[in-house]
Amino acid sequence: MSAGQDKRVRLWNARQGILVKTYPVEHTAEITELLIMRNRDRFITADGKGSVLMWDSVRGVVTRRFRACPSNAAVTSMALNTDESILCSACTNGRVYIWDLASSSAASSHQPLEPLQVLDHAKGRIITSLFLSQPVLFVGSADGKLRVYDVRSGKLLVRKFFRHDEARQKGVVEDIV
């Protein structure tokens, strides 16, 4: 799959290099993130104005809308936990939005689903990456800080400043998980 500035998502046959399907335009800005669900029957897209959508891959329709990134802040990163029941998105406003995908209230494609939690310890910082290893969420930001949260409580567990190569050398991930 591919997506980008033209606001379109395309499904490709990678072996043959041919376009299989072009999905309808549902975004109002360039698509900045694309996540494909494990069983490939669904995917999630996000755009430069903060819109997050879940799609049915086969039918080519939006099945869920998520309320994220107010004030047209762009989505910079998304992550799913291993059982794909929690979705996190990060925005240029420095906030992380967390949704429970297993919730029965997440069933409507018309009403945007409100986040369960909004993490704003990095407010004003551009978040560059997310990694979700339940129950821990790792948030990397342009200020060079790695913030680590307990996803269930939203509690900030660790906030450290690292150069990009320093976190790996110091084994930060192994110390926390």
Side-chain angles (χ1 to χ4, degrees):
M1 293 191 101
S2 65
Q5 288 184 333
D6 66 357
K7 307 172 198 160
R8 296 186 186 276
V9 177
R10 291 178 175 84
L11 175 64
W12 300 88
N13 179 319
R15 288 194 179 125
Q16 297 175 351
I18 58 171
L19 179 63
V20 175
K21 184 176 193 170
T22 300
Y23 293 87
V25 174
E26 289 281 343
H27 286 281
T28 60
E30 73 280 358
I31 297 173
T32 58
E33 285 289 312
L34 170 68
L35 286 178
I36 302 168
M37 307 291 274
R38 188 176 33 248
N39 62 9
R40 298 187 183 133
D41 67 337
R42 295 174 295 159
F43 62 93
I44 302 169
T45 55
D47 70 25
K49 288 190 177 180
S51 178
V52 177
L53 306 174
M54 180 180 285
W55 298 74
D56 178 307
S57 300
V58 176
R59 295 184 302 142
V61 297
V62 172
T63 59
R64 294 185 186 170
R65 296 176 187 277
F66 303 90
R67 187 170 312 282
C69 305
S71 306
N72 293 329
V75 176
T76 56
S77 187
M78 291 192 300
L80 288 164
N81 64 340
T82 54
D83 70 0
E84 299 180 337
S85 64
I86 296 175
L87 170 65
C88 300
S89 74
C91 300
T92 54
N93 66 2
R95 293 188 172 118
V96 176
Y97 300 84
I98 301 173
W99 294 276
D100 177 5
L101 298 182
S103 167
S104 60
S105 66
S108 172
S109 65
H110 303 291
Q111 292 288 50
L113 182 64
E114 296 290 335
L116 280 179
Q117 293 186 64
V118 178
L119 308 176
D120 63 359
H121 293 97
K123 190 174 179 182
R125 309 291 189 268
I126 296 175
I127 296 173
T128 58
S129 58
L130 292 175
F131 177 73
L132 184 57
S133 177
Q134 199 158 346
V136 180
L137 173 65
F138 298 86
V139 179
S141 58
D143 65 358
K145 289 187 179 174
L146 173 68
R147 292 168 177 88
V148 182
Y149 296 90
D150 180 313
V151 172
R152 295 171 297 216
S153 69
K155 181 181 176 190
L156 180 64
L157 302 174
V158 177
R159 178 177 45 212
K160 292 194 175 187
F161 182 80
F162 293 105
R163 292 187 321 269
H164 292 287
D165 60 340
E166 193 177 4
R168 185 176 308 149
Q169 290 172 354
K170 291 189 177 193
V172 171
V173 173
E174 292 81 8
D175 290 345
I176 296 168
V177 176

